[in-house]
Amino acid sequence: MFSRDRWLEIFETIRKNKLRTFLSGFTVALGILIFVVLFGFGNGLRNTFENFFEDDAKNTMWLRSGRTSKPYMGYEANRLIEFDNDDLKEISSRFEFYIEGITPRISFSGNVGYKLESNNYSIRGVGPSHQKNEMTIMMKGRYINGLDIDNKERNVVIGRLVEQDLFKGEDGIGKFISGGGRSWKVVGVFQDDGGDNEERIIYAPYTTIQLIQKSTDKVGQIIISYKPEIGYGGAVAFENQLRKYIKQRKFIDPRDSRGIFIRSAASELKENDQFASVLQYIISFVGIGTLLAGIIGISNIMVFVVKERTKELGIRKAIGATPKSIIGMILQEAIFITTISGYIGLFIGIAFLNFIGDKLEEQYFITDPFIDLSTGILATVILIVFGAFAGYLPAQRAARIKPIEALRDS
Amino acid sequence: MIQIKDLHKSYKMGSNSLHVLKGINFNVKEGELVAIMGSSGSGKSTLLNILGMLDLLDKGTYDLDGVPIKNLDETKAANYRNKFLGFVFQSFNLINYKTALENVTLPLYYQGVNRKEREATALEYLDQVGLKEWATHLPSELSGGQKQRVAIARAMVTQPKVLLADELTGALDSNTSKEVMTLIQEINQNGKTILIVTHEEDIAKMCTRIVRLKDGIIMEDKKNKMIKAI
Ligand SMILES: Nc1ncnc2c1ncn2[C@@H]1O[C@H](COP(=O)(O)OP(=O)(O)O)[C@@H](O)[C@H]1O
Ligand SMILES: [Mg+2]
């Protein structure tokens, strides 16, 4: 009987028993509030953790070369291995299936100046896809592009702090800086979250660098970003095939652990993911614990409420309330209070998490704590459903009490 | 109106059982005002509770207005109580957070009567017991006599076949008792069948028939020349 009359009767009971309503509502709201806050803090911890690893793209592989440590196929040990343009081309065509972008990185440092200012900077000869690997964000202008590579242009992209150092607040775009006895046109300025050093770098087309370094075809490091959709397994397979292929191509003993080095985010990713899922387990565990405590709290309140109302229920039965209507009344009231206060707790919790934002980042490593609305609502619904179940037993017991027993003593 | 044959009732107390009613035979005609007397513990309330379907009988038969009362489950008993019976208790048993009017409307709520009609009817009955002005007061704001009159209004509001009252004057002083008994006599004069449990001779003398219980049986059952309460 979910009639309007039933609701009016329940509202009246609620209105006239404010303390009881407040106590049970408060418990439920507090339970949900604690759940939301703990769960949100867990997510905030994970945010902080993920930020640590976000500076470099996750789907990246670094190929470096060094000296061999074993003799092989007529070659001496301690031979210097270097990557060149052919390696770059062969790798990109052979592993096209896995590769999203590939770029060399020729690193050195040199003196660069503008007018009277000059400084020593890291300089990197790179290709266009290097931008993605380093997650370089352009503040103005553009990054190194394909035309720069093809035409071996003397265009450079400089870090924010390079511009600040050399141009003293002036706009650097379109101006010419000097380096290695030549002048270079600034076509872009970038920023980077990685820290000061990352913003004191100058990028130039690798082909131009090769040209001025006595027409070499050496490329230094090779950086590959693989397609994310190949997944962790695909990345590991790719890495193994790539290592085998390069060792073959460069005549390196397959058992030689030196000569070439491949570092991939995939192997690191796995460890990160494990840590993240441990965190997730802890969060879920705490969440479920809080919910359980909430359910136990509601059950206790229901037992208390029914006990307190025993006499009233006896009177109601004496004047004609059926057991069903008694159970219905108690449950409906409980569900109503649980629902309202559950959602109040939910929204206070969410508001609190929003208020926290990054206030706890420095000291407690909690960044932007949040809870999916659906998780919050699910938790609230679970509490309501289990609260109703928990309320059902005492309600049923109350409905079974004989009216004379409820009315005795007085 | 009420027919009882060979009624037995015992209470189990652990391994013992207390045989309270040992074969009661008893009829009540419509319009009677019956006093059930006896010393404390003689089984008066037990009998009244069985008549009121608040408790179950062990053996015997009970017919109310020609309807055999048997195989009572809780729901059926609740519906019969609601339709056929009105109760008045020694301790009033009003719901303490509800006003006088709300207490009186409650039986109608369980009959499914709509709110407007409930309140109109309840107010009428409060008026009959002289408490119209007290409709919005809580029980805690009423005197004992007023509380009992609210309880009588609540018992009457569904127009029951029988009014059952257990020591309804037990908590009241003698003047107030007389006032309440006047009201009971008025209701009886209008044709209502009423059973009153009491251990006070004064109160019993205000009824049309006196039934005396002793050791679980009816010891004496005789007509009485009713004395006006006031
Ligand atoms: N629910 C019960 N369980 C056990 N014993 C009961 C119960 N109700 C009444 N009694 C016992 O039955 C006897 C009759 O009780 P009752 O009918 O209340 O007497 P009265 O109303 O005449 O004083 C008493 O001895 C009382 O203790
Ligand atoms: Mg008694």
Side-chain angles (χ1 to χ4, degrees), chain A residues 73-191:
Chain A
M73 290 180 68
Y75 289 98
E76 298 268 349
N78 207 33
R79 174 170 52 104
L80 180 67
I81 305 292
E82 285 181 293
F83 299 128
D84 56 30
N85 286 347
D86 280 348
D87 296 329
L88 198 64
K89 211 186 296 164
E90 281 301 311
I91 291 171
S92 42
S93 66
R94 185 172 268 264
F95 294 101
E96 203 184 352
F97 171 73
Y98 295 111
I99 294 177
E100 193 176 63
I102 182 165
T103 175
R105 180 197 277 178
I106 307 168
S107 302
F108 58 100
S109 68
N111 231 48
V112 175
Y114 175 72
K115 290 188 179 162
L116 293 177
E117 293 294 330
S118 88
N119 256 319
N120 202 59
Y121 292 108
S122 286
I123 298 162
R124 289 172 175 177
V126 299
S129 67
H130 192 277
Q131 183 182 3
K132 228 182 175 176
N133 297 129
E134 279 284 303
M135 313 239 311
T136 306
I137 303 151
M138 298 307 296
M139 281 169 65
K140 49 190 176 181
R142 61 169 177 83
Y143 202 73
I144 304 296
N145 65 20
L147 277 179
D148 293 333
I149 301 295
D150 292 346
N151 301 335
K152 304 177 183 170
E153 299 284 1
R154 291 214 302 274
N155 290 339
V156 292
V157 174
I158 62 176
R160 184 176 63 88
L161 295 177
V162 177
E163 188 191 36
Q164 210 174 59
D165 294 346
L166 296 180
F167 294 96
K168 301 287 177 204
E170 272 179 58
D171 187 3
I173 297 283
K175 306 232 164 83
F176 288 86
I177 55 176
S178 59
R182 294 173 175 80
S183 66
W184 305 75
K185 186 180 180 185
V186 177
V187 295
V189 178
F190 69 89
Q191 61 186 52

Side-chain angles (χ1 to χ4, degrees), chain A residues 5 9 12 16 312 319, chain B residues 82 93 97-98 102 118:
Chain A
D5 252 17
E9 178 71 17
E12 196 179 287
K16 295 191 171 174
E312 177 200 334
I319 61 178
Chain B
N82 186 249
N93 284 334
Y97 65 83
K98 286 180 177 288
E102 286 162 352
R118 274 198 320 257

Side-chain angles (χ1 to χ4, degrees), chain B residues 39-46 49 90 166-167 197-199:
Chain B
S39 53
S40 181
S42 58
K44 309 182 291 291
S45 296
T46 304
N49 286 333
Q90 174 174 1
D166 193 352
E167 309 271 11
V197 160
T198 182
H199 61 269

Side-chain angles (χ1 to χ4, degrees), chain B residues 35 210-214 217-222:
Chain B
I210 300 175
V211 176
R212 288 179 202 276
L213 283 188
K214 198 180 178 195
I217 52 165
I218 293 178
M219 198 185 70
E220 188 191 57
D221 183 349
K222 62 168 197 212

